[in-house]
Amino acid sequence: MENGLKKQYGLLMAICMVVGTVVGSGVFFKAQAILQKTNGDMPMGILAWIIGGLVMIFCVLAFCVMAQRYEKVNGLVDYAEATIGGKYAYFMGFFSTVIYTPAMTSVLAWLTARYFLVFLTSVNPDFQLNGNPVTSSETFLLAGFILIFVFAVNTLSSKLAGKLQIGATFIKLIPLLLMAVVGTIYGLTHNLAGETSSILATNFGTGTGEFSPLFGAVVATAFAYEGWILATSINSEIKNSKKNLPIALVLGGFIIIAIYLFYYIGVAGGAPVQTLIDEGTAPAFVTVFGNVFGNILNLFVAVSCLGTLNGLLIGCIRGFYSLSVRNMGPKVNLMKQVDNGSGMPSNSCIVGLVVVAAWLVYFYGANLAATPWFGKFSFDSSELPIITIYALYIPMFIQFMRKEKELPALKRFVLPTLGIVGSAFMVFAAVYSHGYIPYITAKEAGQGFTCPVFFYLIVFGVIMGIGMLMMKPQKAKK
């Protein structure tokens, strides 16, 4: 595979691209979730952010070695093919196209709608919702509209989609940095003897006596840290990538961890913990920056979510096309067609949109509706796919160590081993927090057998089984 991309980026630009790829809306969404899972235990939440960040760095370093080794190959699916083979690459690609990426994208559509409505209800108190911005039917309908709008932008004008992505990348850093700095100062100066200092002094694990809250919080951070795998695909455009890409990934990773940590502390300085647990981070912005500026920052958060949604949807609508160019997957010749006017694989785009919309309906019905629509098959689609994506990384690391015998020990064994340890930890934490503890709790309450991980794996198995039936290579028509 010949690479025609120019070596145009230096180290500084590479670091900016890493940070811009990873930093998204997850930190706004999951800051509340982490407070909920840790019962407001601030040190435990900080530890969760650190552990999640270290897992990201371990895995990204391991994939970075692959990116250096396979210089003409880019992307997760291609790494899977280089280390294990074409069938495993298809398995990875189908999972990413049908489960992992669209599930995350659907959550981003809801999150974007949620923050837009938070902004609207703040500036116009007369604007009434059928519920609150988290669970209202208006949020669900607006999420669908936003999804269609972003889809239209991407399919009709790729240049406009690129501008949207670049603009949103800069905008998303504004509320994060402002809250990190100003929120922390505000909390220490206004509540020095109260809320901020007390939550910073809380003993680790107070009120729980178990590690399950920590595991649940770490899994929640994974949503905020996701997107790092996309950073490895820029290696062919970085000057002296064998040296600069690892530096960019490591420095970028620590910059991201620092931003998230200080934002998390800053938010805690802006509002009581119980308020943050109940209402999310919006009250902190209003408290620290006042009604007008605070609401403007909430709008920036919504635009940030929109930018992340745009980036994820770019991958979703090209998923089936990326499989079809290998002559694998459903309706190869149909998915492979590229529209002459837009230069986009229109059929792949439409099917990708339908898959994301289906996951949006699932997320709303399983997680937000007052009575879950899917019964025991109701699970958190923003977190549980983490179990399988990290599990799929492990065989790739193992095969890399087996194949690359001429590499030094650091690259052949140490970094892939760190990737395996980090991936295994994420799988264990997700299973423990979403499977074991909910099962024990339900059993003690006499609710019968309920285990979200078990039912997620059933759904995963059925979908992947369908995918395997479509895997057989097909001959493309001339």
Side-chain angles (χ1 to χ4, degrees):
M1 185 184 301
E2 185 177 352
N3 172 40
L5 297 175
K6 296 180 180 179
K7 299 282 187 180
Q8 55 184 324
Y9 300 130
L11 177 59
L12 179 60
M13 186 61 178
I15 294 172
C16 292
M17 291 182 71
V18 170
V19 174
T21 300
V22 176
V23 174
S25 57
V27 65
F28 304 115
F29 175 31
K30 291 303 181 179
Q32 179 185 12
I34 291 168
L35 285 166
Q36 291 171 342
K37 291 177 184 294
T38 61
N39 297 318
D41 189 327
M42 196 62 162
M44 186 183 289
I46 292 173
L47 182 60
W49 282 112
I50 293 173
I51 293 174
L54 289 176
V55 170
M56 173 190 69
I57 289 175
F58 289 166
C59 292
V60 85
L61 280 174
F63 276 110
C64 181
V65 177
M66 294 185 191
Q68 293 174 333
R69 189 64 178 165
Y70 313 125
E71 292 183 2
K72 296 181 181 179
V73 181
N74 291 320
L76 180 60
V77 176
D78 295 311
Y79 298 157
E81 183 175 34
T83 54
I84 300 180
K87 291 184 178 180
Y88 195 81
Y90 170 81
F91 192 79
M92 179 72 80
F94 191 84
F95 167 71
S96 179
T97 299
V98 180
I99 300 178
Y100 185 64
T101 308
M104 282 202 303
T105 306
S106 66
V107 176
L108 261 298
W110 161 76
L111 195 59
T112 305
R114 170 185 171 179
Y115 277 104
F116 269 122
L117 288 177
V118 167
F119 170 74
L120 288 177
T121 54
S122 297
V123 298
N124 184 13
D126 294 330
F127 183 76
Q128 298 295 321
L129 297 175
N130 183 25
N132 61 62
V134 175
T135 60
S136 71
S137 56
E138 290 91 344
T139 306
F140 177 68
L141 293 174
L142 181 59
F145 173 80
I146 290 172
L147 192 60
I148 294 172
F149 167 76
V150 177
F151 169 81
V153 169
N154 276 276
T155 53
L156 298 178
S157 175
S158 57
K159 184 177 292 187
L160 181 60
K163 291 181 179 179
L164 172 63
Q165 188 66 22
I166 293 171
T169 298
F170 285 99
I171 289 174
K172 71 177 65 175
L173 293 177
I174 295 174
L176 283 169
L177 294 176
L178 281 176
M179 179 55 74
V181 177
V182 182
T184 301
I185 296 173
Y186 180 92
L188 292 174
T189 55
H190 286 69
N191 300 309
L192 189 57
E195 187 74 25
T196 301
S197 56
S198 65
I199 58 178
L200 288 175
T202 304
N203 292 326
F204 177 83
T206 296
T208 61
E210 300 176 352
F211 281 100
S212 57
L214 175 62
F215 287 146
V218 171
V219 174
T221 68
F223 182 85
Y225 284 118
E226 277 308 308
W228 58 264
I229 190 62
L230 300 176
T232 61
S233 65
I234 65 174
N235 70 307
S236 59
E237 299 174 75
I238 298 175
K239 299 174 183 177
N240 194 8
S241 63
K242 289 187 176 181
K243 175 184 177 183
N244 287 334
L245 183 56
I247 296 174
L249 289 170
V250 174
L251 289 181
F254 281 111
I255 290 171
I256 293 163
I257 294 172
I259 291 174
Y260 283 2
L261 280 175
F262 284 110
Y263 170 79
Y264 185 69
I265 295 171
V267 163
V273 171
Q274 193 57 50
T275 300
L276 296 172
I277 291 174
D278 295 337
E279 302 178 32
T281 59
F285 281 98
V286 174
T287 300
V288 174
F289 298 103
N291 259 336
V292 176
F293 193 49
N295 286 325
I296 291 175
L297 287 176
N298 278 326
L299 179 61
F300 277 28
V301 173
V303 174
S304 169
C305 297
L306 184 66
T308 307
L309 169 63
N310 180 67
L312 287 173
L313 194 62
I314 287 174
C316 288
I317 62 181
R318 290 166 172 81
F320 285 103
Y321 173 77
S322 67
L323 295 176
S324 68
V325 295
R326 299 170 182 267
N327 290 326
M328 303 178 83
K331 301 293 182 181
V332 166
N333 293 292
L334 193 63
M335 294 297 111
K336 194 183 291 186
Q337 292 177 6
V338 177
D339 183 74
N340 292 329
S342 64
M344 294 289 292
S346 302
N347 296 321
S348 174
C349 291
I350 293 172
V351 175
L353 176 65
V354 171
V355 174
V356 176
W359 277 108
L360 176 60
V361 172
Y362 176 84
F363 180 75
Y364 185 83
N367 295 279
L368 303 180
T371 302
W373 300 344
F374 300 96
K376 292 182 181 296
F377 284 90
S378 297
F379 53 81
D380 188 346
S381 54
S382 73
E383 292 185 5
L384 279 179
I386 290 170
I387 294 173
T388 36
I389 189 66
Y390 278 98
L392 289 171
Y393 290 159
I394 295 175
M396 296 168 61
F397 296 142
I398 294 173
Q399 281 298 102
F400 183 82
M401 289 190 288
R402 289 184 59 193
K403 284 187 173 183
E404 303 300 335
K405 298 179 180 179
E406 66 277 19
L407 288 177
L410 175 65
K411 291 185 176 181
R412 183 184 175 189
F413 294 112
V414 177
L415 294 181
T417 299
L418 288 176
I420 292 172
V421 171
S423 298
F425 175 83
M426 289 304 298
V427 172
F428 174 76
V431 171
Y432 191 79
S433 62
H434 284 276
Y436 177 74
I437 293 301
Y439 167 68
I440 294 298
T441 303
K443 187 177 180 180
E444 291 176 348
Q447 297 175 0
F449 180 76
T450 176
C451 180
V453 172
F454 176 78
F455 292 107
Y456 161 71
L457 291 176
I458 291 177
V459 173
F460 169 81
V462 170
I463 293 176
M464 296 311 298
I466 295 172
M468 297 309 285
L469 294 176
M470 301 175 179
M471 184 185 69
K472 187 176 181 180
Q474 305 174 36
K475 293 183 178 180
K477 296 179 181 178
K478 295 183 179 180

